[in-house]
Structure formats: C-alpha cells, structure tokens
Amino acid sequence: MNPIDKKLEEIKKRGTVGLMTHVVVGYPNLKMTVEIVKTMAKAGADFVELQIPFSDPLADGPTIMKACEKSLEQGTKVSDAFIVAKKLSREVSVPLLFMAYFNTVFVYGVEKFCTEAKVAGISGLIVPDMPLEEESREHLEGYAKKNGLYLLSVVAPVSTKDRLQKNALVARGFVYCSARQGITGAKKSLDPNLTKYLKTVRRFFKIPVAVGFGISRREQVDVIAAYADVVVVGSAIIDLIHKSDSKKVLTNVEHFVRELCVKK
C-alpha cells in the first residue's frame, strides 16, 4: 500500500482533518530544509510537500517565487532534492511528496525522475502544469505508477465538469484542490464560493479531498475541515521562515504547525 493511503486511513480513524505542509528545497538552505521538515513531522504534519525550486513557477505567488529564487541562487539542483528526500525518508515517517513543474521533470528525464524519486522515498508527485492530454506522449503517470508513486490530480475552481470527470477516472491518493483561482499565497479570507466548489469536487471524486492555496490561519483550517480531508499550508510557512530570526525558525515553525493541527 502506498504510504499516502496508509496516512489517509490513519487520518480517517483519528477523526481529524489532515495537514500537508510545504517547503522549498534549499530555502533557506539545504541543511535547514531537512531540519524544518523534521520539525514539521514532529509537530504533527501528516504529509510534507517538497517543492523543487524552478525559475518560473507559474502557479506560485511572490512568497514561494522568492524562496525558489533564493534557493536557485545558492546553487540548489534537482539532484539535491533527491538527496534531501532520501535523508528525510530515513528520519521521518510522514509521506513525502515532490512538487515540481513539468519542465523540471522533462529536462531531468521523466523515467529517471520517477525512478529516483521512488529510491529517495517519495510517495507522490504534484505536477500542476501537466495536463492529462500529454500523458500519451510524456508518460509521467505511467512511469509514476511503475514506481509505485501517486501522481496527484490537481483541480481548480475553473475546472469544468468534463475536466473533473476525466481527472476523477485516473486519480489516486487524494485530489489536490486549489482553494481559489490564481497563484499561491497566504490570504486573510477564503473564497466565498469555496464550499460550493468543494461539494462539486466531491460529486466527481471518490477519494479524499485536499485543499490548498491561500490558507494561512487556524480559523481557515476550521472552516475547510468541514469539507475536506486534508488542508495544505505552504506560503504562510515560507513567510514565517522568512520573517523569523534564524535561531528561532524551527521553534516558530513547530509552534505554527501545532496550532494548525486541529480536530474536525
């Protein structure tokens, strides 16, 4: 069984909403990436998304873009992400997922990327700009499946019913829903149409639903917990790392993640 499924079963049994947190590999540096993920796991995160830095992250807002830029300026390479994942998979029990743009995967080599991700202990891939229609040519889903990885479906409020239906047919693990149209980034309020959109997603997908994009506070998690199985918090954590004194990063991250871990 994929570790993602095991974790989803655990979340269901304990009756809480799951939490997926996010880091950019190499931000603020590779050593701290490892320590931050270990801290997140210790504080209660159920999944951790390891974003491989990319120079043109179209779905990401300014916070994550700056973290990617900083990481790349420091020389982070795709191979570093595999090294970080391999080290972490030996030290934490939470499922680790790679988030990457398809250009990164394509340049590295789709088959090689999936094979090495499996070896590094990755459980799933999030490639938000990879449309289903490209599978017959690129074979990302095929190589992921061959290596026991879940390629998560990513949908948005503008996804048509036809698009939801097509994604639902191949979706595994959980479906990743962006809470609003546009780019990532911490927001003070949720989209007023979010609950209606999530109810629509539920009608098409028979697997758990994760919601991300713009979630930054415990109050927002409480609202979303009624409609989702997993909440994803990314930019707010990157913001916290950026604003924290270097000696307090781990303490602040641990406190914030513990605060986000709430019961339904």
Side-chain angles (χ1 to χ4, degrees):
M1 179 183 286
N2 187 296
I4 293 174
D5 288 330
K6 290 181 181 176
K7 178 58 73 173
L8 289 167
E9 283 188 1
E10 178 189 318
I11 292 168
K12 186 176 181 180
K13 286 179 181 176
R14 75 176 189 232
T16 65
V17 68
L19 175 67
M20 181 158 76
T21 54
H22 181 108
V23 293
V24 172
V25 175
Y27 180 78
N29 54 58
L30 290 170
K31 183 179 178 182
M32 279 299 290
T33 299
V34 172
E35 296 307 314
I36 289 168
V37 173
K38 288 164 62 177
T39 298
M40 289 172 168
K42 174 185 171 185
D46 295 295
F47 307 91
V48 178
E49 190 179 1
L50 306 174
Q51 179 164 354
I52 299 176
F54 182 56
S55 58
D56 188 21
L58 296 176
D60 294 312
T63 299
I64 292 180
M65 285 185 71
K66 288 178 182 175
C68 285
E69 288 173 3
K70 183 69 175 177
S71 177
L72 291 171
E73 285 172 5
Q74 295 175 155
T76 303
K77 298 179 174 60
V78 177
S79 55
D80 291 318
F82 290 102
I83 293 171
V84 166
K86 195 168 188 176
K87 180 174 179 58
L88 282 169
S89 64
R90 293 170 178 164
E91 300 190 30
V92 301
S93 60
V94 300
L96 302 171
L97 298 92
F98 270 153
M99 184 271 174
Y101 289 90
F102 184 66
N103 190 57
T104 299
V105 179
F106 177 78
V107 171
Y108 197 78
V110 178
E111 182 175 12
K112 181 182 177 187
F113 186 93
C114 293
T115 301
E116 293 189 13
K118 177 62 177 178
V119 171
I122 292 294
S123 299
L125 306 177
I126 300 168
V127 186
D129 59 343
M130 177 65 186
L132 288 172
E133 289 76 8
E134 295 297 321
E135 177 58 22
S136 61
R137 187 171 63 178
E138 307 297 351
H139 310 296
L140 177 58
E141 166 66 18
Y143 287 126
K145 194 171 185 178
K146 182 180 177 182
N147 285 283
L149 305 170
Y150 280 176
L151 177 62
L152 298 187
S153 293
V154 181
V155 300
V158 295
S159 297
T160 63
K161 291 182 179 178
D162 180 62
R163 176 63 54 184
L164 293 174
Q165 192 168 35
K166 286 180 178 177
N167 274 278
L169 290 174
V170 297
R172 294 184 294 154
F174 56 82
V175 54
Y176 190 131
C177 306
S178 62
R180 57 190 170 79
Q181 184 59 20
I183 57 177
T184 62
K187 298 291 182 183
K188 292 182 179 178
S189 62
L190 296 171
D191 186 322
N193 296 314
L194 177 60
T195 55
K196 181 181 178 182
Y197 155 59
L198 293 179
K199 287 178 181 177
T200 300
V201 172
R202 287 277 192 199
R203 290 207 304 271
F204 287 92
F205 289 85
K206 304 306 177 189
I207 58 177
V209 170
V211 181
F213 280 42
I215 300 166
S216 62
R217 303 206 315 266
R218 161 72 177 273
E219 294 82 357
Q220 293 170 324
V221 174
D222 287 339
V223 173
I224 293 173
Y227 304 94
D229 303 284
V230 178
V231 176
V232 186
V233 179
S235 293
I237 293 174
I238 304 295
D239 267 336
L240 182 64
I241 295 169
H242 175 68
K243 294 174 181 175
S244 296
D245 181 281
S246 60
K247 294 181 180 178
K248 295 183 177 178
V249 167
L250 299 181
T251 301
N252 290 347
V253 167
E254 181 174 357
H255 177 76
F256 184 55
V257 172
R258 287 191 187 282
E259 192 175 77
L260 292 171
C261 294
V262 295
K263 292 184 177 181
K264 279 187 175 180

mmCIF file of all heavy atoms in Angstrom, residues 2-3 42 73-74 81 164 167 184 213 215 221 225 230 237-238 241 245 258:
data_model
loop_
_atom_site.group_PDB
_atom_site.id
_atom_site.type_symbol
_atom_site.label_atom_id
_atom_site.label_comp_id
_atom_site.label_asym_id
_atom_site.label_seq_id
_atom_site.Cartn_x
_atom_site.Cartn_y
_atom_site.Cartn_z
ATOM 1 N N ASN A 2 0.504 2.223 -0.838
ATOM 2 C CA ASN A 2 1.241 3.485 -0.859
ATOM 3 C C ASN A 2 1.136 4.171 0.502
ATOM 4 O O ASN A 2 0.055 4.211 1.097
ATOM 5 C CB ASN A 2 0.654 4.388 -1.948
ATOM 6 C CG ASN A 2 1.465 5.653 -2.149
ATOM 7 O OD1 ASN A 2 1.567 6.489 -1.256
ATOM 8 N ND2 ASN A 2 2.037 5.807 -3.331
ATOM 9 N N PRO A 3 2.231 4.736 1.040
ATOM 10 C CA PRO A 3 2.172 5.422 2.344
ATOM 11 C C PRO A 3 1.128 6.529 2.410
ATOM 12 O O PRO A 3 0.632 6.854 3.493
ATOM 13 C CB PRO A 3 3.589 6.000 2.468
ATOM 14 C CG PRO A 3 4.453 5.062 1.683
ATOM 15 C CD PRO A 3 3.610 4.662 0.502
ATOM 16 N N LYS A 42 7.452 16.288 13.466
ATOM 17 C CA LYS A 42 7.376 16.194 14.935
ATOM 18 C C LYS A 42 6.162 16.954 15.469
ATOM 19 O O LYS A 42 5.512 16.523 16.429
ATOM 20 C CB LYS A 42 8.659 16.778 15.535
ATOM 21 C CG LYS A 42 8.681 16.883 17.044
ATOM 22 C CD LYS A 42 9.963 17.596 17.484
ATOM 23 C CE LYS A 42 9.929 17.923 18.975
ATOM 24 N NZ LYS A 42 11.122 18.730 19.354
ATOM 25 N N GLU A 73 19.677 30.631 -6.463
ATOM 26 C CA GLU A 73 20.879 31.484 -6.366
ATOM 27 C C GLU A 73 21.969 30.785 -5.558
ATOM 28 O O GLU A 73 23.162 30.988 -5.790
ATOM 29 C CB GLU A 73 20.525 32.808 -5.685
ATOM 30 C CG GLU A 73 19.746 33.770 -6.573
ATOM 31 C CD GLU A 73 19.245 34.981 -5.801
ATOM 32 O OE1 GLU A 73 19.579 35.116 -4.600
ATOM 33 O OE2 GLU A 73 18.495 35.773 -6.404
ATOM 34 N N GLN A 74 21.537 29.979 -4.604
ATOM 35 C CA GLN A 74 22.504 29.272 -3.748
ATOM 36 C C GLN A 74 23.003 27.977 -4.387
ATOM 37 O O GLN A 74 23.786 27.244 -3.782
ATOM 38 C CB GLN A 74 21.860 28.981 -2.384
ATOM 39 C CG GLN A 74 21.549 30.266 -1.621
ATOM 40 C CD GLN A 74 20.804 30.026 -0.324
ATOM 41 O OE1 GLN A 74 20.891 30.838 0.583
ATOM 42 N NE2 GLN A 74 20.064 28.934 -0.228
ATOM 43 N N ALA A 81 17.416 17.752 -4.411
ATOM 44 C CA ALA A 81 16.089 17.388 -3.893
ATOM 45 C C ALA A 81 16.023 15.888 -3.599
ATOM 46 O O ALA A 81 15.412 15.466 -2.608
ATOM 47 C CB ALA A 81 15.015 17.783 -4.902
ATOM 48 N N LEU A 164 -13.141 17.680 -14.429
ATOM 49 C CA LEU A 164 -13.209 16.963 -13.149
ATOM 50 C C LEU A 164 -13.462 15.476 -13.379
ATOM 51 O O LEU A 164 -12.854 14.620 -12.732
ATOM 52 C CB LEU A 164 -14.316 17.561 -12.280
ATOM 53 C CG LEU A 164 -14.095 18.993 -11.771
ATOM 54 C CD1 LEU A 164 -15.343 19.493 -11.050
ATOM 55 C CD2 LEU A 164 -12.884 19.069 -10.843
ATOM 56 N N ASN A 167 -10.291 13.742 -14.695
ATOM 57 C CA ASN A 167 -9.300 13.585 -13.622
ATOM 58 C C ASN A 167 -9.722 12.519 -12.624
ATOM 59 O O ASN A 167 -8.889 11.766 -12.114
ATOM 60 C CB ASN A 167 -9.079 14.915 -12.900
ATOM 61 C CG ASN A 167 -8.039 15.787 -13.576
ATOM 62 O OD1 ASN A 167 -6.842 15.611 -13.390
ATOM 63 N ND2 ASN A 167 -8.502 16.716 -14.407
ATOM 64 N N THR A 184 -0.524 30.847 -5.620
ATOM 65 C CA THR A 184 -0.463 30.585 -4.193
ATOM 66 C C THR A 184 -0.171 31.878 -3.427
ATOM 67 O O THR A 184 0.219 32.884 -3.999
ATOM 68 C CB THR A 184 0.650 29.572 -3.873
ATOM 69 O OG1 THR A 184 1.898 30.141 -4.254
ATOM 70 C CG2 THR A 184 0.431 28.270 -4.605
ATOM 71 N N PHE A 213 -3.741 26.563 -1.282
ATOM 72 C CA PHE A 213 -3.717 27.898 -1.888
ATOM 73 C C PHE A 213 -4.398 28.921 -0.978
ATOM 74 O O PHE A 213 -5.625 28.958 -0.849
ATOM 75 C CB PHE A 213 -4.403 27.950 -3.258
ATOM 76 C CG PHE A 213 -3.564 27.446 -4.402
ATOM 77 C CD1 PHE A 213 -2.785 26.310 -4.263
ATOM 78 C CD2 PHE A 213 -3.541 28.096 -5.616
ATOM 79 C CE1 PHE A 213 -2.018 25.837 -5.316
ATOM 80 C CE2 PHE A 213 -2.777 27.634 -6.682
ATOM 81 C CZ PHE A 213 -2.023 26.495 -6.529
ATOM 82 N N ILE A 215 -4.287 29.388 2.334
ATOM 83 C CA ILE A 215 -4.669 29.052 3.708
ATOM 84 C C ILE A 215 -3.506 29.406 4.640
ATOM 85 O O ILE A 215 -2.381 28.926 4.460
ATOM 86 C CB ILE A 215 -5.021 27.564 3.817
ATOM 87 C CG1 ILE A 215 -6.186 27.259 2.869
ATOM 88 C CG2 ILE A 215 -5.380 27.202 5.256
ATOM 89 C CD1 ILE A 215 -6.404 25.798 2.630
ATOM 90 N N VAL A 221 -8.534 26.820 8.595
ATOM 91 C CA VAL A 221 -8.479 25.365 8.656
ATOM 92 C C VAL A 221 -9.778 24.819 9.255
ATOM 93 O O VAL A 221 -10.346 23.834 8.776
ATOM 94 C CB VAL A 221 -7.271 24.890 9.489
ATOM 95 C CG1 VAL A 221 -7.294 23.378 9.669
ATOM 96 C CG2 VAL A 221 -5.972 25.329 8.830
ATOM 97 N N ALA A 225 -12.097 22.248 7.244
ATOM 98 C CA ALA A 225 -12.150 20.890 7.792
ATOM 99 C C ALA A 225 -13.525 20.250 7.616
ATOM 100 O O ALA A 225 -13.644 19.023 7.558
ATOM 101 C CB ALA A 225 -11.776 20.911 9.271
ATOM 102 N N VAL A 230 -7.892 16.897 3.879
ATOM 103 C CA VAL A 230 -6.519 17.371 4.109
ATOM 104 C C VAL A 230 -6.466 18.861 3.785
ATOM 105 O O VAL A 230 -7.044 19.301 2.789
ATOM 106 C CB VAL A 230 -5.507 16.612 3.212
ATOM 107 C CG1 VAL A 230 -4.091 17.149 3.430
ATOM 108 C CG2 VAL A 230 -5.554 15.117 3.469
ATOM 109 N N ILE A 237 3.930 29.261 5.762
ATOM 110 C CA ILE A 237 5.114 28.709 6.423
ATOM 111 C C ILE A 237 6.389 29.339 5.848
ATOM 112 O O ILE A 237 7.314 29.671 6.588
ATOM 113 C CB ILE A 237 5.138 27.176 6.282
ATOM 114 C CG1 ILE A 237 3.967 26.583 7.072
ATOM 115 C CG2 ILE A 237 6.476 26.599 6.743
ATOM 116 C CD1 ILE A 237 3.784 25.092 6.904
ATOM 117 N N ILE A 238 6.406 29.511 4.534
ATOM 118 C CA ILE A 238 7.577 30.164 3.919
ATOM 119 C C ILE A 238 7.706 31.590 4.451
ATOM 120 O O ILE A 238 8.805 32.079 4.738
ATOM 121 C CB ILE A 238 7.444 30.184 2.385
ATOM 122 C CG1 ILE A 238 7.237 28.776 1.839
ATOM 123 C CG2 ILE A 238 8.695 30.826 1.761
ATOM 124 C CD1 ILE A 238 8.382 27.837 2.036
ATOM 125 N N ILE A 241 9.188 31.457 7.913
ATOM 126 C CA ILE A 241 10.635 31.205 7.861
ATOM 127 C C ILE A 241 11.373 32.489 7.500
ATOM 128 O O ILE A 241 12.396 32.839 8.092
ATOM 129 C CB ILE A 241 10.941 30.091 6.828
ATOM 130 C CG1 ILE A 241 10.339 28.763 7.289
ATOM 131 C CG2 ILE A 241 12.450 29.953 6.615
ATOM 132 C CD1 ILE A 241 10.354 27.671 6.227
ATOM 133 N N ASP A 245 13.825 35.179 13.053
ATOM 134 C CA ASP A 245 15.253 35.183 13.343
ATOM 135 C C ASP A 245 15.775 33.771 13.074
ATOM 136 O O ASP A 245 15.103 32.785 13.404
ATOM 137 C CB ASP A 245 15.451 35.556 14.825
ATOM 138 C CG ASP A 245 16.912 35.616 15.204
ATOM 139 O OD1 ASP A 245 17.504 34.527 15.423
ATOM 140 O OD2 ASP A 245 17.441 36.725 15.288
ATOM 141 N N ARG A 258 1.818 23.067 15.047
ATOM 142 C CA ARG A 258 0.988 22.523 16.139
ATOM 143 C C ARG A 258 -0.338 23.267 16.220
ATOM 144 O O ARG A 258 -1.389 22.683 16.485
ATOM 145 C CB ARG A 258 1.742 22.619 17.476
ATOM 146 C CG ARG A 258 2.870 21.637 17.614
ATOM 147 C CD ARG A 258 3.415 21.589 19.042
ATOM 148 N NE ARG A 258 4.599 20.759 19.131
ATOM 149 C CZ ARG A 258 4.584 19.436 19.165
ATOM 150 N NH1 ARG A 258 3.431 18.792 19.133
ATOM 151 N NH2 ARG A 258 5.713 18.751 19.243
#
